[in-house]
Amino acid sequence: MEYNFRAIEEKWHKRWVEQQTYKVTEDENKKKFYVLNMFPYPSGAGLHVGHPLGYIASDIYARFKRQQGFNVLNPMGYDSYGLPAEQYAIQTGQHPEKTTFQNIDRYREQLDKIGFCFDWDREVRTCAPGYYHWTQWAFQKMFNSFFCYTCGKAQPIETLIEHLNENGTKDLNVAQSEELTFTAEEWNAMSEKEQSDVLMNYRIAFLGETMVNWCPKLGTVLANDEVVDGVSVRGGYPVEQKKMRQWCLRVSAYAQRLLDGLETIQWSESIKETQKNWIGRSEGTEIQFQIAGTDDYFTIFTTRADTMFGVTFMVLAPESELVQKVTTADQKAAVEEYLNYVKSRTERERQIDHTVTGVFSGSYAINPFTGEKNPIWISEYVLAGYGTGAIMAVPAHDSRDYAFAKHFGLPIVPLIEGADISEESYDAKEGIVCNSPAEGATPYVNFNLNGLTIKEAIAATKKYVKEHNLGRVKVNFRLRDAIFSRQRYWGEPFPVYYKNDIPCMIPEECLPIELPQVENFLPTETGEPPLGNAQIWAWDEVNRKVVDKALIDGKTVFPIELYTMPGFAGSSAYYLRYMDPQNDEALVSKKADEYWQNVDLYVGGSEHATGHLIYSRFWNKFLFDLGVSCKEEPFQKLVNQGMIQGRSNFVYRIKDTNTFVSLGLKKDYDTTPIHVDVNIVKNDVLDVEAFKAWRPEYNNAEFILEDGKYICGWAIEKMSKSMFNVVNPDMIVENFGADTLRLYEMFLGPVEQSKPWDTNGIDGCHRFLKKLWGLFYSRTDEFLPKEGSATPEELKSLHKLIKKVTADIENFSYNTSISAFMICVNELQGLKCTNKDVLEKLIILLAPFAPHMAEELWEALGHDTTVCDAPWPAYNDEYLKESTATYAVGFNGKTRFTIQLPADCSKEDAEKAALENENSAKYLDGFVVKKVIVVPGKMINIVIGK
RNA sequence: GCCCAGAUGGUGGAAUGGUAGACACGAGGGACUUAAAAUCCCUUGAGCAGUAAUGUUCGUGCGGGUUCGAGUCCCGCUCCGGGCACCA
């Protein structure tokens, strides 16, 4: 009987739905295992073969765990709010709601063909009100919380208010936008509006007036991870810096916990490293400098406190508030001119062009260690947004300060023994400190660092600074707060209304507030949010509902926030929602959360390292502080599947003709390579007729062939429509079946590695399945498996496979387990194995990889249960024991011949057998044996010498 | 500039410090067939010697080192990919 994959796969898809094979419920008697894929944006292009890679890998793991007896949660859903979905709608001129639902249907159809064990009853969509209810809810919780550094976690805002009522900002150790100082009396005297503004300084979700990434083309602000090299990740449009009032999340408050948490999770080194870089912890010292001739001080941040004696000038960021203060009358014109120059430069220019520029302010700062007066300069190389926006410049040991000093002819004082600073600065943190001033040389202190290592000198200086009240030890982070509002339509509305300009939360029990329908949802270049077009968009406080904005009276009816939330809002806690997706009382019930805990295995792309994977860790830590999530880290183990690249094919047109020359002959002609659709090329041989039919202009194309074939060139490129190298999984399923697709995607190479898709190799996997089928059905439809006892060879082959596959799945080495399957099936075929027990075990092992075929054959073996619940077999080492072992016999490390010895041969016997073997004689002739090394079962190396 | 990961046949890729190239594709040869498809068998890292069996040398980006023995460990480079980046 032929392997009819179409009939088999159709049959089992239906059966799985009917029998709810993949439905999962909390079961206290079973250990849980939570497998999760990053849910997709349903974009318009549909899935290509790269998308299912991670889903297949995790599906295999999920099925494997289920067969091992775990209660496995493996859900799927759609990240359907946000920029990508909306951009697609705009491009196709349709309403995003319509395109989103269409795209979801298309995705579902494609996913269903591949045979995943998703529990679709748990599907979530971020754009569904029942879902974003909890996104809005979490936002309100963040609004009503602040972060307390003393207890290291989020606290209700009431606790802070109490503190302010009693103590003002005294002894306040909390995360804040800027350091405010006021007394309890001052606080209590503030108006409601003033208090609201002050509290914004502390809330975890807050309105902040900050520099944001504004993208006019997309008509919205963007978070830092959504901007790369000054352009938007989505669409590649220019981004400018603009001061705007936006909702922000105080992610920076969690910087240390986000960093510490990395040590507790099993993620790849490279992702952890990326997150560490992004968080950018830097431990240093803040030191106060007095502005000469005044009583004013300003603070700088340095990681090199040891270089206090090498400071020769100070630099302020042009945006620093100090600039006005330190600019003297005679420098005013020059400073103004410089500030105008800085303003004229775009963010992108500043990033690329590092020419030294700057201006002297006219003022001096007093070095608190030496009493020296150092000129204060203004330069754009100092960033306003990091540290204090002011630095002490040590040109000898910082390359930027060095370049600046050289350019403006400022002095350079070296502080490290033997450091050559004639050509460049010595930036390394290695060496012995010298050149501390002699005792009594400064009017201030006797403080000498000479002879210390840099590390010791930093510690000594910190200690000194602390003891003498010159500043404080400070940890800075590069991680910025996340801009949380977007001037777009397709996103979660904020559950916020404005009462006399004070933002108020819509009562929790009135959530969700649903996205209103609007005619015109297009973004605007000026930033007016599309929700401004919604007529029914005002909050009636009395009747507690959304009403027509014509009713706004400023007393009981108020305008609702027009911004929407960004894409990452919905994707930050979706893993919790899968645990309890229909709950309308809570994001997740205590019971469900305590059962499923957190995600054991998370599979997805590494491109989310500084976006989703930071935000969701932050979000979950917040929910953990609230007691909603019982685990601090959401994703225990993370596997990043590699990107599937495209393999493009080319034809070579001879210039100015319609004649195409085959790859091997093209060197004789002047040709232009042209991308050709990979679907009309097989094994790099062009289907000439299909090519002619492909495009009208190739209708009468002519070809110069080699060996009667047209051979195409190829290249590895990104998989994209414009390169004509997109391979669609539906097509593979249609031609080879889902099981073949699943096997081949895994066989391509290690899951975590990026690799090109090349349909050419797929025959091998398809052949393997046909061969395996052939172990069950003869060509004459006879069902082959028979009762009886298995031969030792059959058992050995099988148990070798069990051992290999069990280990490989745990390591995600699916490619080598499939190789092992191929070897085993070849061996069993060679042994003409018909033993039912052996074949049945083989099917159980196959089930995670090729579930359709496994179910079909499992049923044929007489089972009326699903193979998904067939217990994973254990291997028996007894069967794997060899009676003889092949020893490679080498002399001085080079293998010369092999001998067969009993498997349990002792080292001594092996050594004797090797030395006495007739082949050894010619190598031993004239030499003496110095040493013999025996690796049991493998190798005997005889070291000889004169 | 700093940090991370990687480099193995024509291709994708295997190798707890122990016979490098498993497995698969492609290619070449053969069987079956009127033919094709499908299926099956053999060869396939490079070089040299030999009619042949076979023997032998060289081979895991480059240069050193440790070791009886290195793709694997150590030191120094080159190249490719990724992250951070006037972050003081």
Side-chain angles (χ1 to χ4, degrees):
Chain A
M1 189 157 74
E2 282 285 297
Y3 164 43
N4 185 347
F5 56 84
R6 286 198 191 90
I8 292 171
E9 290 176 4
E10 201 178 314
K11 168 180 163 186
W12 287 100
H13 286 155
K14 259 175 78 183
R15 189 79 67 86
W16 288 334
V17 172
E18 282 165 16
Q19 303 191 342
Q20 299 197 308
T21 309
Y22 303 125
K23 189 172 173 59
V24 51
T25 48
E26 291 73 40
D27 178 351
E28 294 297 338
N29 300 316
K30 274 176 153 181
K31 275 181 86 176
K32 68 97 191 188
F33 200 91
Y34 188 174
V35 177
L36 184 64
N37 291 284
M38 289 184 188
F39 61 168
Y41 310 111
S43 82
L47 295 172
H48 65 60
V49 288
H51 296 112
L53 184 86
Y55 306 156
I56 295 171
S58 57
D59 194 64
I60 290 172
Y61 199 81
R63 288 171 178 275
F64 168 69
K65 281 285 162 190
R66 175 165 172 177
Q67 287 183 257
Q68 282 194 327
F70 289 89
N71 192 25
V72 177
L73 177 57
N74 183 27
M76 184 44 97
Y78 305 98
D79 186 11
S80 44
Y81 256 155
L83 223 40
E86 189 174 356
Q87 281 303 97
Y88 177 76
I90 291 169
Q91 278 154 19
T92 56
Q94 301 172 77
H95 195 278
E97 184 161 3
K98 188 171 165 226
T99 55
T100 299
F101 289 140
Q102 277 171 358
N103 293 340
I104 286 177
D105 289 344
R106 167 96 181 103
Y107 266 59
R108 177 66 191 273
E109 194 186 311
Q110 286 188 299
L111 289 172
D112 274 346
K113 287 185 179 162
I114 304 174
F116 295 116
C117 60
F118 298 134
D119 177 1
W120 283 107
D121 288 353
R122 290 178 182 257
E123 181 199 283
V124 301
R125 299 177 182 194
T126 54
C127 66
Y131 179 89
Y132 65 69
H133 181 157
W134 302 105
T135 312
Q136 293 177 341
W137 173 84
F139 167 80
Q140 292 195 337
K141 291 288 174 202
M142 290 184 196
F143 179 83
N144 286 319
S145 301
F146 73 104
F147 192 91
C148 167
Y149 283 129
T150 308
C151 51
K153 61 178 196 175
Q155 301 260 290
I157 197 79
E158 289 73 25
T159 311
L160 177 74
I161 295 173
E162 233 167 80
H163 183 105
L164 297 178
N165 283 339
E166 286 164 24
N167 307 304
T169 54
K170 191 167 173 283
D171 299 327
L172 205 54
N173 183 23
V174 299
Q176 51 193 324
S177 304
E178 56 180 310
E179 204 159 330
L180 301 179
T181 314
F182 51 82
T183 62
E185 291 69 42
E186 284 168 326
W187 162 255
N188 288 314
M190 286 180 199
S191 69
E192 192 186 354
K193 167 74 178 145
E194 282 165 339
Q195 288 196 341
S196 161
D197 287 347
V198 165
L199 287 177
M200 281 299 178
N201 194 51
Y202 305 102
R203 294 181 191 274
I204 289 180
F206 63 99
L207 265 177
E209 181 96 18
T210 51
M211 290 300 261
V212 297
N213 306 301
W214 167 251
C215 179
K217 206 77 195 175
L218 290 172
T220 185
V221 299
L222 296 169
N224 285 350
D225 66 287
E226 294 171 317
V227 181
V228 171
D229 293 335
V231 298
S232 66
V233 171
R234 196 55 60 174
Y237 304 116
V239 171
E240 35 189 80
Q241 299 298 302
K242 204 170 158 182
K243 205 155 196 174
M244 288 175 82
R245 194 163 182 244
Q246 297 293 332
W247 285 102
C248 304
L249 300 186
R250 206 176 299 282
V251 180
S252 61
Y254 283 83
Q256 189 61 50
R257 278 171 63 185
L258 287 167
L259 200 58
D260 294 342
L262 290 173
E263 304 304 322
T264 68
I265 50 184
Q266 289 83 55
W267 290 17
S268 72
E269 276 312 308
S270 66
I271 292 271
K272 285 201 218 175
E273 201 58 37
T274 299
Q275 291 209 340
K276 280 181 199 165
N277 280 340
W278 188 257
I279 296 167
R281 185 180 199 272
S282 154
E283 212 176 297
T285 317
E286 280 186 355
I287 300 173
Q288 301 216 323
F289 280 69
Q290 188 181 6
I291 301 169
T294 74
D295 289 332
D296 285 332
Y297 283 80
F298 69 98
T299 309
I300 59 93
F301 175 78
T302 181
T303 54
R304 290 292 300 274
D306 60 306
T307 58
M308 280 304 288
F309 298 125
V311 178
T312 57
F313 57 101
M314 314 297 290
V315 189
L316 302 179
E319 297 83 1
S320 168
E321 285 157 12
L322 283 166
V323 167
Q324 296 312 319
K325 200 180 261 178
V326 298
T327 302
T328 57
D330 48 334
Q331 283 298 103
K332 201 169 168 69
V335 171
E336 289 288 305
E337 193 190 331
Y338 183 68
L339 294 184
N340 283 333
Y341 157 79
V342 171
K343 254 189 212 151
S344 74
R345 278 164 55 94
T346 64
E347 189 63 18
R348 187 142 176 73
E349 279 169 345
R350 268 179 88 161
Q351 266 180 26
I352 295 167
D353 174 22
H354 290 175
T355 332
V356 177
T357 64
V359 66
F360 176 48
S361 69
S363 296
Y364 293 84
I366 296 169
N367 185 328
F369 278 48
T370 62
E372 274 169 18
K373 278 167 71 181
N374 299 126
I376 303 173
W377 286 69
I378 297 156
S379 173
E380 60 179 341
Y381 87 87
V382 174
L383 304 177
Y386 184 77
T388 60
I391 63 155
M392 62 180 212
V394 186
H397 303 296
D398 182 284
S399 52
R400 296 151 304 184
D401 298 346
Y402 187 88
F404 195 86
K406 281 274 174 184
H407 188 264
F408 289 106
L410 297 160
I412 300 172
V413 180
L415 297 171
I416 308 294
E417 280 178 19
D420 174 17
I421 53 148
S422 56
E423 293 298 323
E424 55 182 5
S425 61
Y426 179 86
D427 290 16
K429 283 192 186 180
E430 284 157 23
I432 303 297
V433 176
C434 62
N435 281 354
S436 287
E439 257 179 60
T442 81
Y444 287 74
V445 290
N446 287 327
F447 184 70
N448 199 309
L449 296 170
N450 286 348
L452 299 179
T453 64
I454 292 183
K455 238 178 141 178
E456 290 163 349
I458 293 175
T461 314
K462 274 185 184 170
K463 188 161 167 259
Y464 182 87
V465 166
K466 244 194 285 184
E467 284 170 2
H468 292 76
N469 228 2
L470 301 173
R472 58 174 175 174
V473 172
K474 178 81 197 287
V475 175
N476 267 335
F477 293 95
R478 195 151 45 218
L479 185 70
R480 296 276 81 101
D481 291 333
I483 310 289
F484 195 63
S485 41
R486 298 290 180 270
Q487 292 67 40
R488 299 285 291 215
Y489 173 66
W490 194 238
E492 298 85 350
F494 281 85
V496 175
Y497 62 98
Y498 289 92
K499 196 170 168 178
N500 308 323
D501 213 22
I502 297 172
C504 305
M505 294 296 120
I506 285 173
E508 196 180 314
E509 54 280 14
C510 300
L511 298 182
I513 65 157
E514 295 193 22
L515 185 67
Q517 287 295 333
V518 296
E519 280 295 308
N520 179 9
F521 56 85
L522 294 177
T524 58
E525 290 216 10
T526 45
E528 270 95 57
L531 279 191
N533 300 331
Q535 192 53 42
I536 313 295
W537 202 237
W539 183 249
D540 182 336
E541 248 189 10
V542 177
N543 298 307
R544 297 159 69 89
K545 60 176 189 181
V546 179
V547 296
D548 196 308
K549 63 186 179 189
L551 300 172
I552 291 174
D553 59 10
K555 292 193 186 85
T556 58
V557 180
F558 305 96
I560 303 180
E561 174 66 85
L562 300 180
Y563 293 155
T564 54
M565 296 187 195
F568 69 81
S571 59
S572 286
Y574 73 114
Y575 53 90
L576 288 173
R577 192 61 182 164
Y578 280 133
M579 297 175 182
D580 196 4
Q582 270 98 40
N583 191 337
D584 53 14
E585 302 284 308
L587 166 61
V588 55
S589 71
K590 201 86 212 134
K591 190 166 162 259
D593 181 61
E594 272 166 11
Y595 183 74
W596 296 112
Q597 304 261 316
N598 62 354
V599 176
D600 295 284
L601 173 68
Y602 195 33
V603 179
S606 55
E607 67 273 19
H608 297 107
T610 57
H612 163 64
L613 287 172
I614 289 267
Y615 296 128
S616 52
R617 289 184 62 220
F618 153 76
W619 202 285
N620 192 68
K621 281 176 192 296
F622 173 73
L623 294 176
F624 173 79
D625 290 351
L626 249 56
V628 172
S629 170
C630 64
K631 287 274 190 172
E632 178 155 7
E633 285 292 337
F635 315 120
Q636 200 53 44
K637 183 178 168 76
L638 174 71
V639 170
N640 298 115
Q641 88 270 25
M643 271 234 302
I644 296 280
Q645 296 142 309
R647 187 178 188 277
S648 313
N649 275 113
F650 297 94
V651 291
Y652 300 94
R653 181 162 63 189
I654 301 173
K655 282 219 169 105
D656 306 321
T657 69
N658 206 11
T659 302
F660 295 84
V661 57
S662 183
L663 178 68
L665 304 171
K666 83 175 170 76
K667 59 182 177 298
D668 302 331
Y669 302 89
D670 185 10
T671 59
T672 319
I674 296 170
H675 277 96
V676 60
D677 190 341
V678 290
N679 295 303
I680 57 170
V681 177
K682 196 173 187 232
N683 293 341
D684 291 336
V685 177
L686 180 70
D687 181 338
V688 170
E689 290 311 313
F691 180 69
K692 284 182 177 175
W694 186 41
R695 289 282 167 90
E697 66 260 40
Y698 302 140
N699 230 328
N700 45 11
E702 299 192 22
F703 302 90
I704 300 174
L705 307 177
E706 48 184 321
D707 305 329
K709 291 184 269 189
Y710 187 97
I711 312 290
C712 297
W714 59 271
I716 303 302
E717 297 172 305
K718 193 175 144 63
M719 194 170 274
S720 95
K721 271 185 174 165
S722 61
M723 316 265 194
F724 300 109
N725 60 7
V726 174
V727 182
N728 192 293
D730 309 10
M731 216 191 62
I732 303 282
V733 170
E734 180 59 28
N735 294 335
F736 298 96
D739 287 341
T740 301
L741 173 73
R742 292 170 62 102
L743 284 178
Y744 187 56
E745 293 241 3
M746 295 300 105
F747 187 69
L748 272 178
V751 176
E752 304 193 64
Q753 192 174 302
S754 283
K755 58 230 162 207
W757 178 267
D758 183 356
T759 307
N760 290 342
I762 201 166
D763 283 338
C765 288
H766 194 60
R767 261 175 226 152
F768 156 72
L769 286 177
K770 283 202 273 191
K771 242 186 226 184
L772 198 152
W773 185 260
L775 289 172
F776 287 80
Y777 288 101
S778 75
R779 285 175 195 223
T780 54
D781 274 11
E782 187 194 349
F783 189 65
L784 299 169
K786 304 275 181 308
E787 303 282 352
S789 50
T791 66
E793 288 80 14
E794 290 167 351
L795 287 171
K796 185 175 160 192
S797 186
L798 175 71
H799 283 257
K800 214 165 61 184
L801 182 68
I802 300 174
K803 187 175 182 176
K804 177 82 178 143
V805 172
T806 309
D808 279 352
I809 292 184
E810 286 292 359
N811 299 323
F812 301 92
S813 304
Y814 300 127
N815 55 334
T816 51
S817 28
I818 293 167
S819 294
F821 268 110
M822 290 174 175
I823 294 167
C824 179
V825 166
N826 272 337
E827 283 173 359
L828 294 180
Q829 194 186 42
L831 294 167
K832 300 203 174 3
C833 173
T834 57
N835 182 276
K836 198 178 158 188
D837 293 340
V838 170
L839 294 174
E840 190 170 290
K841 290 263 167 47
L842 180 66
I843 288 311
I844 295 173
L845 296 176
L846 182 74
F849 297 90
H852 309 87
M853 181 189 267
E855 291 277 26
E856 179 70 17
L857 293 174
W858 184 249
E859 189 185 49
L861 285 165
H863 298 278
D864 56 5
T865 55
T866 171
V867 73
C868 301
D869 289 324
W872 193 257
Y875 62 89
N876 185 340
D877 263 326
E878 284 302 308
Y879 298 129
L880 299 178
K881 279 198 177 144
E882 304 276 347
S883 55
T884 62
T886 305
Y887 281 82
V889 180
F891 291 85
N892 286 1
K894 301 234 169 176
T895 305
R896 302 296 167 167
F897 57 88
T898 58
I899 55 175
Q900 292 288 319
L901 293 171
D904 52 359
C905 179
S906 72
K907 281 194 178 190
E908 290 73 25
D909 290 345
E911 181 178 333
K912 206 171 145 206
L915 288 169
E916 285 171 4
N917 188 285
E918 56 191 31
N919 287 316
S920 293
K922 63 179 173 182
Y923 299 106
L924 292 171
D925 186 33
F927 292 92
V928 293
V929 175
K930 293 198 159 166
K931 199 170 170 187
V932 179
I933 295 131
V934 178
V935 181
K938 293 240 168 170
M939 138 90 74
I940 302 161
N941 191 35
I942 300 163
V943 184
I944 53 177
K946 291 280 182 191

